[in-house]
Amino acid sequence: MKSFIPLLLIITFILASCSKEPLITKQYTEAKVLNIDSGETLYETNDQNRVGEIIDQINTSKRTDTWNAIGSSYMLVLKDGEDTLEVTYYNGKKQNGEVTVKGYHVYTEFKFIDGF
C-alpha cells in the first residue's frame, strides 16, 4: 500500500501538467471564415451548438507556441454583437484547418472550406 501512494502522486502530477488553460473563454454567437484577399465569406454559422463546438475544439486541441509561421489568406472570425475575435485560419497542404490564437498554433484540423 505504501508504494501505491507515490505512484498515485506521480500520476496526479502528470495529469495536472497536461491540462491547459482555454484560449477562448468568451461565448460567441457566430463564426465565419473570410478570404482576406477578396473579402469573400467562405463559411458562416450562427448555430450556437456549432459555434460552441468550434470553440471547444480550439480549447482542447494540441497546441504549440513554437512553430514556423507562414502567411494565410484566411481568417476565422468569432463574433458576439460588437465583440470580435479574429483568428488566423490555415487552408493549405501543410497546415490544413489549423488556427493561430493568442500566440499559439492549434492543430484543430477544421475543414470549413472543403466541406466541414
Side-chain angles (χ1 to χ4, degrees):
M1 183 69 176
K2 288 183 180 182
S3 65
F4 179 71
I5 293 173
L7 179 61
L8 183 61
L9 289 173
I10 291 171
I11 291 172
T12 302
F13 177 74
I14 291 171
L15 290 175
S17 66
C18 292
S19 66
K20 51 191 167 215
E21 293 293 318
L23 294 171
I24 302 173
T25 56
K26 178 153 179 31
Q27 295 298 316
Y28 291 94
T29 58
E30 65 180 278
K32 61 177 143 182
V33 174
L34 302 173
N35 182 318
I36 299 168
D37 298 330
S38 69
E40 179 184 6
T41 299
L42 304 169
Y43 173 86
E44 187 169 16
T45 185
N46 59 3
D47 177 327
Q48 296 305 291
N49 291 329
R50 186 68 200 114
V51 175
E53 289 172 2
I54 292 167
I55 293 169
D56 285 344
Q57 188 168 356
I58 290 171
N59 285 336
T60 60
S61 292
K62 179 181 170 188
R63 65 177 89 151
T64 183
D65 59 356
T66 57
W67 76 99
N68 292 330
I70 59 171
S72 176
S73 295
Y74 304 99
M75 182 183 328
L76 170 63
V77 179
L78 299 169
K79 291 185 76 171
D80 181 32
E82 296 297 317
D83 192 13
T84 302
L85 176 64
E86 296 178 346
V87 174
T88 304
Y89 172 71
Y90 297 95
N91 188 47
K93 293 181 181 179
K94 288 190 175 188
Q95 297 174 320
N96 192 18
E98 298 171 0
V99 296
T100 302
V101 182
K102 298 180 181 176
Y104 290 92
H105 187 84
V106 186
Y107 301 96
T108 49
E109 299 183 13
F110 289 127
K111 300 197 180 351
F112 293 120
I113 298 171
D114 300 327
F116 191 42

